[in-house]
Amino acid sequence: MPNPVQELDADSPICKPLPPYEDIIKASSGSPNDMLILNVSQNEVVYQHYIIVHGQVLEAKGKDDKIVVHHPKLPSLEYPAIDGYFKAVVELAYGVNELTFEYKQGATVVSQSTLTISRGKFTDKPPLKLAILLAKDSPETFDAPPGAQGPGINDLDAAVKKMRCCAYLWQAYMAEMMYRNGCGRRTFRLEEEPDSDAQDESTQQPRAKVHIIRSQTSLAEMRDKRNAQQNLMESIDNFEVALGQASATLDMITNSQISERLFGMTSEQVKNVDRAIHDASVPVVQAASQVVRNMRPAIDEFMAATHKVADETVKAVHQALTPDTRAKIRTSVMNAVKTTMDNYV
């Protein structure tokens, strides 16, 4: 993927967002039934598995219209269209993709257009790895309504396919948002593997790989609210105990007094302190929880009273952000985003 210049300023083309669709339409010429592709150029090179395409047929009017996208190697896709406007999420294969868009009203094709998009590979950035974490006693199913359960519906295979689909949509959405804000179709790379489910090897395409990781934690432990990250006091307590236990374990493994060097105490003394901290922290945590519950009405009243002040503050800040100030902030943010993207995307 080509990298933009290192220094960005407010006049740089990469900092300029796309023109409004209305301006694109006004600048276009042709018959009323011509199809306009609003956000993708002919022969554009992209790096994602799916691309979001926006378009319009100028004089088409109808609530039950549809857009059909044909690909020479992949299944056709169909999406609803309203009053000439459409949006399609189109799958791409590596290499050149010759796409045909058909705008239909019923069975009649009122407009047709072709679009060539090339999908390239970029391997100079580390891929994003997808993973599903399973409890050690997981039945390898996920929650679903009674009528939507069974093999291929709410089992592990279905979860893998859903996660892969989500990742493709994340990738396409990020590329579209970066493009709209003047940064090109920059997005993250997904780790891929051969598609073992493909029936035709001639059209086989790599797919996003989803790792399955079996945890040593049970379902009950994962769902226990006491293990939640929000339980700060208990998390700190557990960390202190775990630290003491870990140092004592290292003492036995290495046959050295690591705990003594860390804490100035023997292993047994560290464990005794751990027990004392644990025993002493229980009533403190209980009392703190009760105080928070007692303060809830007062906190709610305070928040309600400060809403008006907060709104006025937001308005004042909004007025202070003049167009010139906004442009400077935008330039700074774009520089920071660009630096991050150069390292990871």
Side-chain angles (χ1 to χ4, degrees), residues 126-148:
L128 175 67
K129 297 178 183 289
L130 306 176
I132 294 178
L133 182 65
L134 300 178
K136 63 180 181 181
D137 55 346
S138 170
E140 298 186 359
T141 60
F142 56 88
D143 295 341

Side-chain angles (χ1 to χ4, degrees), residues 36 50 63 70 86 98 103 148 186 220 265 271 283 333 342:
L36 302 178
Y50 283 82
K63 302 297 183 182
H70 300 283
F86 63 86
E98 299 284 350
Y103 192 96
R186 308 190 69 162
M265 296 180 290
K271 288 190 285 186
V333 172
D342 283 343

Side-chain angles (χ1 to χ4, degrees), residues 1-4 8 12-18 39 44-48 51 171-188 330 334 337-338 341 345:
M1 179 184 294
N3 288 324
L8 299 179
S12 174
I14 199 171
C15 291
K16 295 183 182 298
L18 296 180
N39 68 326
E44 187 168 341
V45 180
V46 300
Y47 299 89
Q48 67 256 33
I51 186 171
Q171 187 186 55
Y173 179 78
M174 180 177 177
E176 178 66 15
M177 291 301 101
M178 294 292 286
Y179 176 73
R180 288 191 187 187
N181 287 277
C183 293
R185 298 187 192 278
R186 308 190 69 162
T187 189
F188 53 87
R330 177 183 177 81
M334 293 303 297
V337 170
K338 182 213 156 293
M341 290 301 165
V345 178

Side-chain angles (χ1 to χ4, degrees), residues 36-219:
L36 302 178
I37 303 299
L38 302 176
N39 68 326
V40 184
S41 303
Q42 280 286 358
N43 301 313
E44 187 168 341
V45 180
V46 300
Y47 299 89
Q48 67 256 33
H49 194 96
Y50 283 82
I51 186 171
I52 302 172
V53 179
H54 300 262
Q56 182 188 14
V57 177
L58 294 178
E59 298 299 325
K61 301 294 181 182
K63 302 297 183 182
D64 299 319
D65 301 349
K66 58 186 177 182
I67 187 75
V68 182
V69 186
H70 300 283
H71 192 290
K73 296 181 180 179
L74 301 172
S76 298
L77 300 170
E78 182 179 305
Y79 297 94
I82 298 178
D83 291 339
Y85 289 96
F86 63 86
K87 181 187 295 184
V89 181
V90 181
E91 185 176 9
L92 301 174
Y94 280 115
V96 178
N97 297 262
E98 299 284 350
L99 306 176
T100 302
F101 290 77
E102 292 181 346
Y103 192 96
K104 289 186 174 182
Q105 292 181 327
T108 304
V109 178
V110 299
S111 184
Q112 181 173 303
S113 179
T114 59
L115 178 64
T116 301
I117 304 176
S118 295
R119 181 187 174 194
K121 294 183 178 181
F122 64 103
T123 57
D124 60 329
K125 306 297 180 185
L128 175 67
K129 297 178 183 289
L130 306 176
I132 294 178
L133 182 65
L134 300 178
K136 63 180 181 181
D137 55 346
S138 170
E140 298 186 359
T141 60
F142 56 88
D143 295 341
Q149 298 180 359
I153 302 176
N154 73 322
D155 58 4
L156 183 58
D157 183 60
V160 168
K161 292 179 179 178
K162 288 177 181 290
M163 188 171 192
R164 184 180 291 123
C165 178
C166 285
Y168 288 149
L169 295 179
W170 296 334
Q171 187 186 55
Y173 179 78
M174 180 177 177
E176 178 66 15
M177 291 301 101
M178 294 292 286
Y179 176 73
R180 288 191 187 187
N181 287 277
C183 293
R185 298 187 192 278
R186 308 190 69 162
T187 189
F188 53 87
R189 171 190 167 203
L190 289 169
E191 183 184 20
E192 295 183 327
E193 65 178 357
D195 187 356
S196 58
D197 297 332
Q199 298 179 352
D200 187 354
E201 293 185 0
S202 63
T203 60
Q204 186 183 49
Q205 293 290 324
R207 64 182 182 184
K209 182 176 182 178
V210 180
H211 298 268
I212 306 300
I213 302 174
R214 180 73 67 171
S215 171
Q216 295 301 314
T217 305
S218 67
L219 273 174

Side-chain angles (χ1 to χ4, degrees), residues 231-249:
N231 194 346
L232 180 60
M233 293 301 296
E234 187 164 343
S235 296
I236 294 174
D237 180 38
N238 290 339
F239 174 75
E240 292 172 344
V241 174
L243 182 61
Q245 293 174 344
S247 62
T249 302

